[in-house]
Amino acid sequence: MRLWGPAVWLNGGRLNLAPAGSGQDVALTAASGSTDATFTYSGAATLDLAKGANTSLTLTLGNSAASESVLTRAGSGVLIVEPTNGTSPANLGAAERLFVNGGVPTHNGMVGASIVGRDSDDSGNTGDFLTYGANGFTVANYTDGLGGGADSIANLTATTATDNASVYALRVNSGVLLNVNVGKTLTVGDGTRPAGLMLNKTGKTTTVVSSGTLDFGTSEGIVLFNGINTGGAIQNHCLLVLGRPERHHFCRAPLRVPRSI
């Protein structure tokens, strides 16, 4: 079923796809009316995939004859892909799927940091970086800790202290203390593409980044928070250097901040 033929622009809103019925493999398309039609996101945009009682839901963006990716970013936009049944391999890329004609470029096993996933099937609505392949968007493969080098998608699940280090993207889990030692720098990003820092916080557990410098260099810095806050806080006691003067709240509209905080 084709939902929209011409180009689609999702500007800071929420697009919820929740087909009726049950027991069906539902396939939908959008922005597929012409080979040059695009699906553009800007602001803090959310795309919900909700199969409901159906067996599966697949949304394909763009025309099948598109010569390049039809998914485009406008300005400092962020796209949050939110499958209702979670981002686990059993669901995202399997029962709830999102495909893009023309593909989606990846680097170091990850799509651009402006496209992220939110797991609405867990109590914390935790966020994930994404990759793209034969099954559409799925969760990227992480490296545990900061030892994977400048090309790694680092995932911190335990309190960590570090001297100078470099990673491509950084995901900090709820309740984790990341201590960049005084006078040391943790560099996130490659200096060219947007760099992603994801701070997950659930319940009353505090996530803290403290002491030294966390630096995005010349990359655009995209800082993403999950939206669950029933007490406690995400605390930044370090110098956070953004490659461009902007950051994004994970669930709401972008927040403008100075270059350093």
Side-chain angles (χ1 to χ4, degrees), residues 218-245:
T218 56
S219 288
E220 174 192 359
I222 301 178
V223 183
L224 306 119
F225 305 102
N226 76 343
I228 301 301
N229 188 352
T230 58
I234 294 174
Q235 300 177 11
N236 290 290
H237 298 299
C238 66
L239 175 67
L240 182 62
V241 181
L242 302 185
R244 287 170 55 184

Side-chain angles (χ1 to χ4, degrees), residues 4 20 24 75 92 107 143 158 208:
W4 313 278
Q24 302 297 311
L92 183 59
H107 187 74
T143 297
V208 182

